[in-house]
Amino acid sequence: MIDLDAYLARIGYAGPREPTLAVLQGVHRAHFYSVPFENLDVVLRRPILIDPASLERKIVAGRRGGYCFEGNGLFMYALQALGFTVTPLAARVLWERSDPALPPRSHMLLMVDLEDGLFLADVTFGGQTPPRPLSLAVGIEQATALEPYRLRRTEDGELDLQAQMAGTWGTLYRFTLHPQLPVDFEHANWYVSTHPDSFFSRNVVAAMPGEGCRYTLFNREFRTRWPDGRLEEQRLDDVESLAAGLARCNIHLPDDDVARIFAQLPERS
């Protein structure tokens, strides 16, 4: 459904192509370090299209990034082209959420079925994207190039993905292993990209991993964060500083687009 050679060239992967755990890990890592998380087309009031041709046109040919329905959607099509058995799943985002009420399922992730077992693959969860595929085994701490992760089973039998930062575990999202259909993601994608109360409609966000750290851009703040809790922050006070922050997230836009985005930044993050 996509040009696999073009996708692999986009992420800089030139390794084997068999549907094995080693290949899954290699392609996941290459995507993680090449394709940024971002919602800039939402801010620019451009439609977010998640069919294979549109994803390939934006992320591969246009060398852009996207949010979960885009990045994980393209990753799913690439894995399927490589011969992997992939099941799309949906999650409720709980990260940094103070409201005790559960939100709707608005995040796309993938389950990959291998001889080695079942694995969670997620290359597009903003500033806390797992750096590698994670075993779906519950209760074990899984080291990565950045933070450790683990899965916890809830009282209702669902799964929480957690990450440890500065010695503290935080829940990223909650999901089940119930397969999703394309129509489920079409509806969720429409909501998060168009509803005025959507997080993506109200904020400018971008993220990219660095060497041993994570870069995140949130409205007027550019942050460099390390797994041990160290944090550096820079205020984005003009169009030039916004463009520089986007460039550190591997995003390069025309000057007119950057100016339009800057004009919509809230005064306070």
Coordinates of all heavy atoms in Angstrom, one line a residue, residues 120-198:
L120 N 4.3 -4.4 21.8 CA 3.7 -3.1 21.6 C 4.6 -2.3 20.8 O 5.8 -2.1 21.1 CB 3.4 -2.5 22.9 CG 2.7 -1.1 23.0 CD1 2.1 -0.9 24.4 CD2 3.6 0.1 22.7
A121 N 4.2 -1.7 19.7 CA 5.0 -0.8 18.8 C 4.3 0.5 18.7 O 3.1 0.6 18.3 CB 5.2 -1.4 17.4
D122 N 5.0 1.6 19.1 CA 4.4 2.9 19.1 C 5.5 3.9 18.8 O 6.4 4.1 19.7 CB 3.8 3.2 20.5 CG 3.1 4.5 20.5 OD1 3.2 5.3 19.6 OD2 2.3 4.8 21.5
V123 N 5.5 4.5 17.6 CA 6.6 5.4 17.2 C 6.1 6.9 17.3 O 6.9 7.8 17.0 CB 7.1 5.1 15.8 CG1 7.8 3.8 15.8 CG2 6.0 5.1 14.8
T124 N 4.9 7.1 17.9 CA 4.4 8.5 17.8 C 3.5 8.8 19.0 O 2.3 8.9 19.0 CB 3.5 8.7 16.5 OG1 4.2 8.1 15.4 CG2 3.4 10.2 16.2
F125 N 4.2 9.0 20.2 CA 3.5 9.4 21.4 C 4.2 10.7 22.0 O 4.6 10.7 23.1 CB 3.4 8.3 22.4 CG 2.5 8.7 23.6 CD1 1.1 8.8 23.4 CD2 3.0 8.9 24.8 CE1 0.3 9.1 24.4 CE2 2.1 9.2 25.9 CZ 0.8 9.4 25.7
G126 N 4.4 11.6 21.1 CA 4.9 12.9 21.5 C 6.3 12.8 22.2 O 7.2 12.0 21.8
G127 N 6.4 13.6 23.3 CA 7.7 13.6 24.0 C 7.9 12.4 24.9 O 8.9 12.4 25.7
Q128 N 7.1 11.4 24.9 CA 7.3 10.2 25.7 C 7.2 8.9 24.8 O 6.8 7.9 25.4 CB 6.3 10.2 26.8 CG 6.8 9.4 28.1 CD 8.2 9.8 28.5 OE1 8.4 11.0 28.8 NE2 9.1 8.9 28.6
T129 N 7.4 9.0 23.5 CA 7.4 7.9 22.7 C 8.4 6.8 23.1 O 9.6 7.1 23.3 CB 7.7 8.3 21.2 OG1 6.7 9.2 20.8 CG2 7.7 7.1 20.3
P130 N 8.0 5.5 23.2 CA 8.9 4.5 23.6 C 10.0 4.4 22.5 O 9.7 4.3 21.3 CB 8.1 3.2 23.6 CG 6.7 3.7 23.9 CD 6.6 5.0 23.1
P131 N 11.3 4.3 22.9 CA 12.4 4.2 21.9 C 12.5 2.9 21.2 O 13.2 2.8 20.2 CB 13.6 4.5 22.8 CG 13.2 5.2 24.0 CD 11.8 4.6 24.3
R132 N 11.8 1.9 21.7 CA 11.9 0.6 21.1 C 10.6 -0.2 21.3 O 9.8 0.2 22.1 CB 13.0 -0.3 21.6 CG 12.9 -0.7 23.1 CD 14.0 -1.6 23.5 NE 14.0 -2.1 24.8 CZ 13.2 -3.1 25.3 NH1 12.4 -3.8 24.4 NH2 13.3 -3.5 26.5
P133 N 10.3 -1.3 20.5 CA 9.1 -2.1 20.8 C 9.2 -2.7 22.2 O 10.3 -3.0 22.7 CB 9.2 -3.2 19.7 CG 10.1 -2.7 18.7 CD 11.1 -1.8 19.4
L134 N 8.1 -2.8 22.8 CA 8.0 -3.3 24.2 C 7.3 -4.6 24.2 O 6.2 -4.8 23.6 CB 7.3 -2.3 25.1 CG 8.0 -0.9 25.2 CD1 7.1 0.0 25.9 CD2 9.3 -1.0 25.8
S135 N 7.8 -5.6 25.0 CA 7.0 -6.8 25.2 C 5.7 -6.6 25.9 O 5.6 -5.7 26.7 CB 7.9 -7.8 26.0 OG 7.1 -8.9 26.4
L136 N 4.7 -7.3 25.5 CA 3.4 -7.1 26.1 C 3.3 -7.9 27.4 O 2.2 -8.1 27.9 CB 2.3 -7.5 25.1 CG 1.9 -6.3 24.2 CD1 0.9 -6.8 23.1 CD2 1.2 -5.2 25.0
A137 N 4.4 -8.4 27.9 CA 4.4 -9.1 29.2 C 4.2 -8.0 30.3 O 4.7 -6.9 30.3 CB 5.8 -9.8 29.4
V138 N 3.3 -8.4 31.2 CA 2.9 -7.5 32.3 C 3.8 -7.5 33.5 O 4.3 -8.6 33.9 CB 1.4 -7.8 32.7 CG1 1.0 -6.9 33.9 CG2 0.5 -7.6 31.6
G139 N 4.1 -6.4 34.0 CA 4.8 -6.3 35.3 C 6.3 -6.3 35.3 O 7.0 -6.3 36.3
I140 N 7.0 -6.4 34.1 CA 8.4 -6.4 34.0 C 8.9 -5.0 33.6 O 8.3 -4.4 32.7 CB 8.9 -7.5 33.1 CG1 8.4 -7.2 31.6 CG2 8.5 -8.9 33.5 CD1 9.1 -8.2 30.6
E141 N 10.0 -4.6 34.2 CA 10.6 -3.3 33.8 C 11.5 -3.5 32.6 O 12.3 -4.4 32.5 CB 11.5 -2.8 35.0 CG 12.1 -1.4 34.7 CD 12.8 -0.9 35.9 OE1 12.3 -1.0 37.0 OE2 13.9 -0.3 35.7
Q142 N 11.2 -2.7 31.5 CA 11.9 -2.9 30.3 C 12.8 -1.6 30.0 O 12.3 -0.5 29.8 CB 10.9 -3.1 29.1 CG 9.9 -4.2 29.4 CD 9.0 -4.5 28.3 OE1 9.4 -4.7 27.1 NE2 7.7 -4.6 28.5
A143 N 14.1 -1.9 30.0 CA 15.0 -0.8 29.7 C 15.0 -0.3 28.3 O 14.7 -1.1 27.4 CB 16.4 -1.2 30.1
T144 N 15.2 1.0 28.0 CA 15.3 1.5 26.7 C 16.5 2.4 26.6 O 17.2 2.6 27.6 CB 14.0 2.3 26.2 OG1 14.0 3.5 26.9 CG2 12.8 1.5 26.6
A145 N 16.7 3.0 25.5 CA 17.8 4.0 25.3 C 17.6 5.2 26.2 O 18.5 6.0 26.4 CB 18.0 4.4 23.9
L146 N 16.3 5.4 26.6 CA 16.0 6.6 27.4 C 15.4 6.1 28.7 O 16.1 5.5 29.5 CB 15.1 7.6 26.7 CG 15.7 8.2 25.4 CD1 14.7 8.9 24.6 CD2 16.8 9.2 25.9
E147 N 14.1 6.2 28.9 CA 13.5 5.8 30.2 C 13.1 4.3 30.2 O 12.9 3.8 29.1 CB 12.2 6.6 30.5 CG 12.4 8.1 30.4 CD 12.3 8.7 29.0 OE1 12.1 7.9 28.1 OE2 12.4 9.9 28.8
P148 N 13.0 3.7 31.4 CA 12.5 2.4 31.4 C 10.9 2.5 31.3 O 10.3 3.5 31.7 CB 12.9 1.8 32.8 CG 13.2 3.0 33.6 CD 13.6 4.1 32.7
Y149 N 10.3 1.4 30.8 CA 8.9 1.3 30.7 C 8.4 0.0 31.3 O 9.2 -1.0 31.5 CB 8.5 1.3 29.2 CG 8.7 2.6 28.5 CD1 9.9 3.1 28.2 CD2 7.6 3.4 28.2 CE1 10.1 4.3 27.5 CE2 7.7 4.6 27.5 CZ 9.0 5.1 27.2 OH 9.1 6.3 26.6
R150 N 7.1 0.0 31.6 CA 6.5 -1.3 32.1 C 5.0 -1.2 31.8 O 4.4 -0.2 31.5 CB 6.7 -1.4 33.6 CG 5.9 -0.5 34.4 CD 6.2 -0.7 35.9 NE 5.3 0.2 36.7 CZ 5.5 0.4 38.1 NH1 6.4 -0.3 38.7 NH2 4.7 1.2 38.7
L151 N 4.4 -2.4 31.8 CA 2.9 -2.5 31.6 C 2.3 -3.0 32.9 O 2.9 -3.9 33.6 CB 2.6 -3.6 30.5 CG 2.8 -3.1 29.1 CD1 2.8 -4.3 28.1 CD2 1.8 -2.0 28.7
R152 N 1.2 -2.4 33.3 CA 0.5 -2.7 34.5 C -0.9 -3.1 34.1 O -1.6 -2.4 33.4 CB 0.5 -1.6 35.5 CG -0.1 -1.9 36.8 CD -0.2 -0.6 37.7 NE -1.2 0.3 37.1 CZ -1.6 1.5 37.7 NH1 -1.1 1.8 38.8 NH2 -2.5 2.2 37.1
R153 N -1.5 -4.2 34.7 CA -2.8 -4.5 34.5 C -3.8 -3.8 35.5 O -3.5 -3.8 36.7 CB -3.0 -6.0 34.5 CG -4.4 -6.5 34.0 CD -4.5 -8.0 33.9 NE -3.4 -8.6 33.1 CZ -3.4 -8.7 31.8 NH1 -4.4 -8.2 31.1 NH2 -2.4 -9.3 31.2
T154 N -4.8 -3.3 35.0 CA -5.8 -2.6 35.9 C -6.8 -3.6 36.5 O -6.8 -4.7 36.1 CB -6.6 -1.5 35.1 OG1 -7.5 -2.1 34.2 CG2 -5.6 -0.6 34.3
E155 N -7.6 -3.1 37.4 CA -8.6 -3.9 38.1 C -9.6 -4.4 37.0 O -10.2 -5.5 37.2 CB -9.3 -3.2 39.2 CG -8.3 -2.9 40.4 CD -9.1 -2.1 41.5 OE1 -10.3 -1.8 41.3 OE2 -8.5 -1.9 42.5
D156 N -9.8 -3.6 36.0 CA -10.8 -4.0 35.0 C -10.2 -4.9 33.9 O -10.8 -5.2 32.9 CB -11.4 -2.7 34.3 CG -12.2 -1.9 35.3 OD1 -12.8 -2.5 36.2 OD2 -12.2 -0.7 35.2
G157 N -8.9 -5.2 34.0 CA -8.3 -6.1 33.1 C -7.7 -5.4 31.9 O -7.2 -6.1 30.9
E158 N -7.6 -4.1 31.9 CA -7.0 -3.3 30.8 C -5.5 -3.2 31.1 O -5.0 -3.6 32.2 CB -7.7 -2.0 30.6 CG -9.2 -2.2 30.2 CD -9.8 -0.9 29.8 OE1 -9.3 0.2 30.2 OE2 -10.9 -0.9 29.1
L159 N -4.8 -2.6 30.2 CA -3.3 -2.4 30.3 C -2.9 -0.9 30.4 O -3.4 -0.2 29.6 CB -2.6 -3.1 29.2 CG -2.7 -4.6 29.1 CD1 -2.1 -5.1 27.8 CD2 -2.1 -5.3 30.3
D160 N -2.1 -0.6 31.4 CA -1.5 0.8 31.4 C -0.1 0.7 31.0 O 0.7 -0.1 31.5 CB -1.6 1.3 32.9 CG -3.0 1.8 33.3 OD1 -3.8 1.9 32.4 OD2 -3.2 2.1 34.5
L161 N 0.3 1.6 30.1 CA 1.7 1.7 29.8 C 2.3 2.8 30.6 O 1.7 3.9 30.7 CB 1.9 2.1 28.3 CG 3.4 2.3 27.9 CD1 4.2 1.0 28.1 CD2 3.5 2.8 26.5
Q162 N 3.4 2.5 31.3 CA 4.0 3.5 32.2 C 5.4 3.7 31.9 O 6.1 2.8 31.3 CB 3.9 3.0 33.7 CG 2.5 2.9 34.2 CD 2.4 2.5 35.7 OE1 3.2 1.6 36.1 NE2 1.5 3.1 36.4
A163 N 6.0 4.9 32.2 CA 7.4 5.2 32.0 C 7.9 5.8 33.3 O 7.2 6.4 34.1 CB 7.5 6.2 30.9
Q164 N 9.2 5.5 33.6 CA 9.8 6.0 34.8 C 10.7 7.2 34.4 O 11.6 7.1 33.6 CB 10.6 5.0 35.5 CG 11.2 5.4 36.8 CD 12.1 4.3 37.4 OE1 13.2 4.0 36.8 NE2 11.7 3.7 38.5
M165 N 10.4 8.4 35.1 CA 11.2 9.6 34.9 C 11.6 10.1 36.2 O 10.7 10.3 37.1 CB 10.4 10.6 34.1 CG 10.2 10.2 32.6 SD 8.8 11.0 31.8 CE 7.5 10.0 32.6
A166 N 12.9 10.4 36.4 CA 13.4 10.9 37.6 C 13.0 10.0 38.8 O 12.7 10.5 39.9 CB 13.0 12.3 37.8
G167 N 13.0 8.7 38.6 CA 12.7 7.8 39.7 C 11.2 7.6 39.9 O 10.8 6.8 40.9
T168 N 10.3 8.2 39.2 CA 8.9 8.1 39.4 C 8.2 7.5 38.2 O 8.4 8.0 37.1 CB 8.3 9.5 39.7 OG1 8.9 10.0 40.9 CG2 6.8 9.4 40.0
W169 N 7.3 6.6 38.5 CA 6.5 6.0 37.4 C 5.3 6.8 37.1 O 4.5 7.2 38.0 CB 6.0 4.6 37.7 CG 7.2 3.6 37.7 CD1 7.8 3.1 38.8 CD2 7.7 2.9 36.6 NE1 8.8 2.2 38.4 CE2 8.8 2.0 37.1 CE3 7.5 2.9 35.2 CZ2 9.5 1.3 36.2 CZ3 8.2 2.1 34.4 CH2 9.2 1.3 34.9
G170 N 5.0 7.1 35.8 CA 3.8 7.8 35.4 C 3.1 7.0 34.3 O 3.7 6.4 33.4
T171 N 1.8 7.0 34.3 CA 1.0 6.3 33.3 C 0.8 7.2 32.0 O 0.4 8.3 32.1 CB -0.4 6.0 33.9 OG1 -0.2 5.1 35.0 CG2 -1.2 5.2 32.8
L172 N 1.1 6.6 30.9 CA 1.0 7.3 29.6 C -0.4 7.1 29.0 O -1.0 8.0 28.7 CB 2.1 6.8 28.6 CG 3.5 6.8 29.1 CD1 4.5 6.3 28.0 CD2 3.9 8.2 29.6
Y173 N -0.8 5.8 28.9 CA -2.1 5.6 28.4 C -2.6 4.2 28.8 O -1.8 3.3 29.2 CB -2.1 5.7 26.8 CG -1.1 5.0 26.0 CD1 -1.2 3.6 25.8 CD2 0.0 5.7 25.4 CE1 -0.2 3.0 25.0 CE2 0.9 5.0 24.6 CZ 0.8 3.7 24.4 OH 1.7 3.0 23.6
R174 N -3.9 4.0 28.6 CA -4.6 2.7 28.9 C -5.2 2.1 27.7 O -5.9 2.9 26.9 CB -5.6 3.0 30.0 CG -6.4 1.8 30.5 CD -7.2 2.1 31.7 NE -6.3 2.5 32.8 CZ -6.8 3.0 34.0 NH1 -8.1 3.1 34.2 NH2 -5.9 3.3 34.9
F175 N -5.1 0.8 27.5 CA -5.6 0.2 26.3 C -6.0 -1.2 26.5 O -5.7 -1.8 27.6 CB -4.5 0.3 25.2 CG -3.3 -0.5 25.4 CD1 -3.1 -1.8 24.8 CD2 -2.3 0.0 26.3 CE1 -1.9 -2.5 25.0 CE2 -1.1 -0.7 26.5 CZ -1.0 -2.0 25.9
T176 N -6.7 -1.8 25.6 CA -7.0 -3.2 25.5 C -6.4 -3.8 24.2 O -5.9 -3.1 23.4 CB -8.5 -3.5 25.6 OG1 -9.1 -3.1 24.3 CG2 -9.2 -2.7 26.7
L177 N -6.5 -5.1 24.1 CA -6.0 -5.8 22.9 C -7.1 -6.0 21.9 O -7.0 -6.8 20.9 CB -5.4 -7.1 23.2 CG -4.2 -7.0 24.3 CD1 -3.6 -8.4 24.4 CD2 -3.2 -6.0 23.9
H178 N -8.2 -5.2 22.0 CA -9.3 -5.3 21.0 C -8.9 -4.6 19.7 O -8.6 -3.4 19.7 CB -10.6 -4.6 21.6 CG -11.8 -4.8 20.7 ND1 -12.5 -5.9 20.6 CD2 -12.4 -3.9 19.9 CE1 -13.5 -5.8 19.7 NE2 -13.4 -4.5 19.3
P179 N -9.0 -5.3 18.6 CA -8.6 -4.7 17.3 C -9.5 -3.6 16.9 O -10.7 -3.6 17.2 CB -8.7 -5.9 16.3 CG -8.6 -7.1 17.2 CD -9.3 -6.8 18.5
Q180 N -8.9 -2.6 16.3 CA -9.6 -1.4 15.8 C -9.7 -1.5 14.2 O -8.9 -2.1 13.6 CB -8.9 -0.1 16.2 CG -8.7 0.0 17.7 CD -10.1 0.1 18.4 OE1 -10.8 1.1 18.2 NE2 -10.4 -0.8 19.3
L181 N -10.8 -0.8 13.7 CA -11.0 -0.7 12.3 C -10.6 0.7 11.8 O -10.6 1.6 12.6 CB -12.5 -1.0 12.0 CG -13.0 -2.4 12.4 CD1 -14.5 -2.4 12.1 CD2 -12.3 -3.5 11.7
P182 N -10.3 0.8 10.5 CA -10.0 2.1 10.0 C -11.0 3.2 10.3 O -10.7 4.3 10.6 CB -9.9 1.9 8.5 CG -9.5 0.4 8.3 CD -10.2 -0.3 9.5
V183 N -12.3 2.8 10.3 CA -13.3 3.8 10.6 C -13.2 4.4 12.1 O -13.5 5.5 12.3 CB -14.7 3.2 10.4 CG1 -15.1 2.1 11.4 CG2 -15.8 4.3 10.5
D184 N -12.7 3.5 13.0 CA -12.5 4.0 14.4 C -11.5 5.1 14.4 O -11.7 6.1 15.1 CB -12.0 2.9 15.2 CG -13.0 1.7 15.3 OD1 -14.2 2.0 15.5 OD2 -12.6 0.5 15.2
F185 N -10.4 5.0 13.6 CA -9.4 6.0 13.6 C -9.8 7.3 12.8 O -9.4 8.4 13.1 CB -8.1 5.5 13.1 CG -7.5 4.4 13.9 CD1 -7.2 3.1 13.4 CD2 -7.3 4.6 15.3 CE1 -6.7 2.1 14.2 CE2 -6.8 3.6 16.1 CZ -6.5 2.3 15.5
E186 N -10.6 7.1 11.8 CA -11.1 8.2 11.0 C -11.9 9.1 11.9 O -11.8 10.3 11.9 CB -12.0 7.7 9.8 CG -11.3 7.1 8.7 CD -10.5 8.1 7.8 OE1 -10.7 9.3 8.0 OE2 -9.7 7.6 7.0
H187 N -12.8 8.5 12.7 CA -13.6 9.3 13.6 C -12.7 10.0 14.7 O -12.9 11.3 14.9 CB -14.6 8.4 14.3 CG -15.6 9.2 15.2 ND1 -15.4 9.5 16.5 CD2 -16.8 9.7 14.9 CE1 -16.4 10.2 17.0 NE2 -17.3 10.3 16.0
A188 N -11.8 9.3 15.3 CA -11.0 9.9 16.3 C -10.1 11.0 15.7 O -9.8 12.0 16.3 CB -10.1 8.8 17.0
N189 N -9.5 10.7 14.5 CA -8.7 11.7 13.9 C -9.4 13.0 13.6 O -8.9 14.1 13.8 CB -8.1 11.1 12.6 CG -7.3 12.1 11.8 OD1 -6.3 12.6 12.3 ND2 -7.7 12.4 10.6
W190 N -10.7 12.9 13.1 CA -11.5 14.0 12.8 C -11.7 14.9 14.1 O -11.5 16.1 14.1 CB -12.8 13.6 12.3 CG -13.8 14.8 12.1 CD1 -13.8 15.7 11.0 CD2 -14.8 15.2 13.0 NE1 -14.8 16.6 11.3 CE2 -15.4 16.4 12.4 CE3 -15.2 14.8 14.2 CZ2 -16.4 17.1 13.1 CZ3 -16.2 15.4 14.9 CH2 -16.8 16.6 14.3
Y191 N -11.9 14.2 15.2 CA -12.2 14.9 16.5 C -10.9 15.7 16.9 O -10.9 16.9 17.2 CB -12.6 14.0 17.6 CG -12.8 14.7 18.9 CD1 -14.0 15.3 19.2 CD2 -11.7 14.8 19.8 CE1 -14.1 16.0 20.4 CE2 -11.9 15.4 21.0 CZ -13.1 16.0 21.3 OH -13.2 16.7 22.5
V192 N -9.8 15.0 17.0 CA -8.6 15.6 17.6 C -8.0 16.7 16.7 O -7.3 17.6 17.1 CB -7.5 14.6 17.9 CG1 -8.0 13.5 18.9 CG2 -7.0 13.9 16.7
S193 N -8.4 16.6 15.4 CA -7.8 17.6 14.5 C -8.7 18.8 14.2 O -8.3 19.8 13.6 CB -7.4 17.0 13.1 OG -8.5 16.5 12.5
T194 N -10.0 18.7 14.6 CA -11.0 19.8 14.2 C -11.8 20.3 15.4 O -12.2 21.5 15.4 CB -12.0 19.3 13.2 OG1 -12.8 18.2 13.7 CG2 -11.2 18.8 11.9
H195 N -12.0 19.5 16.5 CA -12.8 20.0 17.6 C -12.1 21.2 18.3 O -10.9 21.1 18.6 CB -13.1 18.9 18.5 CG -14.3 19.2 19.4 ND1 -14.2 20.0 20.5 CD2 -15.6 18.8 19.4 CE1 -15.4 20.1 21.1 NE2 -16.2 19.3 20.5
P196 N -12.8 22.2 18.6 CA -12.2 23.4 19.3 C -11.6 23.1 20.7 O -10.7 23.8 21.1 CB -13.3 24.4 19.3 CG -14.6 23.7 19.1 CD -14.2 22.5 18.2
D197 N -12.2 22.0 21.3 CA -11.7 21.7 22.6 C -10.5 20.7 22.6 O -10.0 20.3 23.6 CB -12.8 21.1 23.5 CG -13.8 22.2 23.9 OD1 -13.5 23.4 23.9 OD2 -15.0 21.8 24.1
S198 N -10.2 20.2 21.4 CA -9.1 19.2 21.3 C -7.8 19.8 21.7 O -7.5 21.0 21.4 CB -9.0 18.7 19.8 OG -7.8 18.1 19.6

